[in-house]
Amino acid sequence: MRLKSLDVFRGIAIASMVLVNNPGSWKQVYPPLEHAEWHGCTPTDLVFPFFLFIVGCAMSFSLSKYTKTPTKIETAASKTTETPEQTDTEKKPLADSFPPWGGLGGVLLTSPQGGKGELTSHLPSSNIYWRIGRRAAILFILGLLLNTSSIALDVLLNSAPIENFAKIRIMGVLQRIGLAYFISAIAIINLSPRHQKLLAIAILFSYWALLTIVPVGGYSAGELTPEGNFGGYIDRLILGSQHLYKGGPFDPEGLLSTLPAVVTVLIGYFTGEWLRVQPIKTRTSINLAICGLCCLVIGHLWGFLFPINKQLWTSSYVVFTAGWALLLLAVCYETIEVRGWKWGRPFEIMGLNAIFLFVASGIVARILLKTHIGSGDSPPSTYTWIYENWFLPWAGPLNGSLAFAITAVLFWWLILYGMYRRGWEIKI
């Protein structure tokens, strides 16, 4: 079973990421394309949790062979698509249809009762733990390399002191995805569905308690400021201030706040598990939308007690953003799976190589920012020069900045389309 709507959802998320990460000038950005300064949530603040939600949803399909008997839909599909002449090596594993963030590979065993066409789960072997750990480690290392590249370019091109390497930021977006994926996958293959849900609830309420009850030295309990929050205290204690985002008092992708991010992955997993047993009908889309609206209301109300905050990844933020993820998935599911509309193909192409796009776009942006055009004491960066000479004159400051970002999305779409035409898909 393959959900094209999930592929399109992933493409929308990665396209949105490129759009918001590449304005011509950070001083000229439309408010919806900016992160909330602290408490609150803008459309831009939805992009990262959407990625984690999609990771979890895809894991429902790729890990199904390690957790329980496949669904009626999958069994029926196997009976109708496989012929007696097919060998095991000719059957394409279900995990191959899903992205590297979720797909883990594996085998399916014949039922010991001898039922023809029936599939059953088995206990996870050490091989699956190796696959999980390997992919999580690669994601973490890729994130570290991105952080290192900024310092390396400064040292090579701008005569920055080599000692700056001692201040490398340890955490980041890919690091959080890797850790959240690892913790979620281990929980999924070792806990029953009931215990998985209890774990998610326990994390959300425990995190709420830690940030609102436990005082940080010099600050009162519940002081949710960059300096006074408990998560920042843990980051400074374990990682050290010099290894946090911009050397600040906390890291927006810090250690403690990764735990509620795990719940975002698990909510996606629960959604995927539910979709696997549902008929492809409008009623399924409606139920997704209803769940999404309920999460929005619960998250909003919870926000009065525990503010919605992306940088702290508060529990209310987890529930609130899950609501928006469910609503967008409902729209994609209804239009693509139920009605068969083809509007999502451009986004599907972008979603096929999401990790490549994240890393490549980050490296190119860093190169443009660290190289310079012109002479003098303060020549503009290549990035700024392109914006000021190619976009600012005809579109103005604000719209020129937006046009720069849209051009970046189109540029990378063309690259990914070329990869798609050649069948290139970079997996971890």
Side-chain angles (χ1 to χ4, degrees), residues 68-79:
K68 67 177 185 179
T69 303
T71 66
K72 296 178 181 177
I73 292 178
E74 289 165 349
T75 304
S78 68
K79 291 180 180 179

Side-chain angles (χ1 to χ4, degrees), residues 213-230 233 236 249:
I213 296 176
V214 179
V216 175
Y219 298 91
S220 59
E223 190 165 339
L224 301 180
T225 62
E227 300 80 12
N229 74 85
F230 187 71
Y233 170 75
R236 295 191 298 272

Side-chain angles (χ1 to χ4, degrees), residues 59-135:
M59 287 168 65
S60 167
F61 297 88
S62 62
L63 290 179
S64 61
K65 60 185 70 67
Y66 297 99
T67 55
K68 67 177 185 179
T69 303
T71 66
K72 296 178 181 177
I73 292 178
E74 289 165 349
T75 304
S78 68
K79 291 180 180 179
T80 57
T81 59
E82 295 174 9
T83 63
E85 291 76 21
Q86 282 183 300
T87 66
D88 289 339
T89 56
E90 291 172 333
K91 299 172 186 176
K92 186 177 182 181
L94 183 63
D96 289 349
S97 298
F98 288 89
W101 289 352
L104 293 174
V107 296
L108 296 172
L109 300 182
T110 306
S111 169
Q113 286 77 21
K116 185 177 180 181
E118 293 181 5
L119 304 173
T120 185
S121 62
H122 60 87
L123 293 176
S125 64
S126 58
N127 186 48
I128 185 61
Y129 291 110
W130 161 249
R131 289 173 180 267
I132 291 171
R134 172 182 169 274
R135 284 180 173 157

Side-chain angles (χ1 to χ4, degrees), residues 311-365:
Q311 298 191 62
L312 297 178
W313 213 278
T314 55
S315 304
S316 57
Y317 173 77
V318 171
V319 179
F320 185 75
T321 55
W324 282 114
L326 288 165
L327 286 174
L328 182 54
L329 181 58
V331 172
C332 294
Y333 189 90
E334 174 64 23
T335 57
I336 296 171
E337 308 294 347
V338 179
R339 306 194 180 204
W341 296 355
K342 307 296 184 182
W343 64 269
R345 191 62 174 171
F347 294 109
E348 186 179 353
I349 290 171
M350 294 196 78
L352 289 175
N353 281 293
I355 295 179
F356 166 80
L357 177 53
F358 186 96
V359 175
S361 63
I363 290 176
V364 169

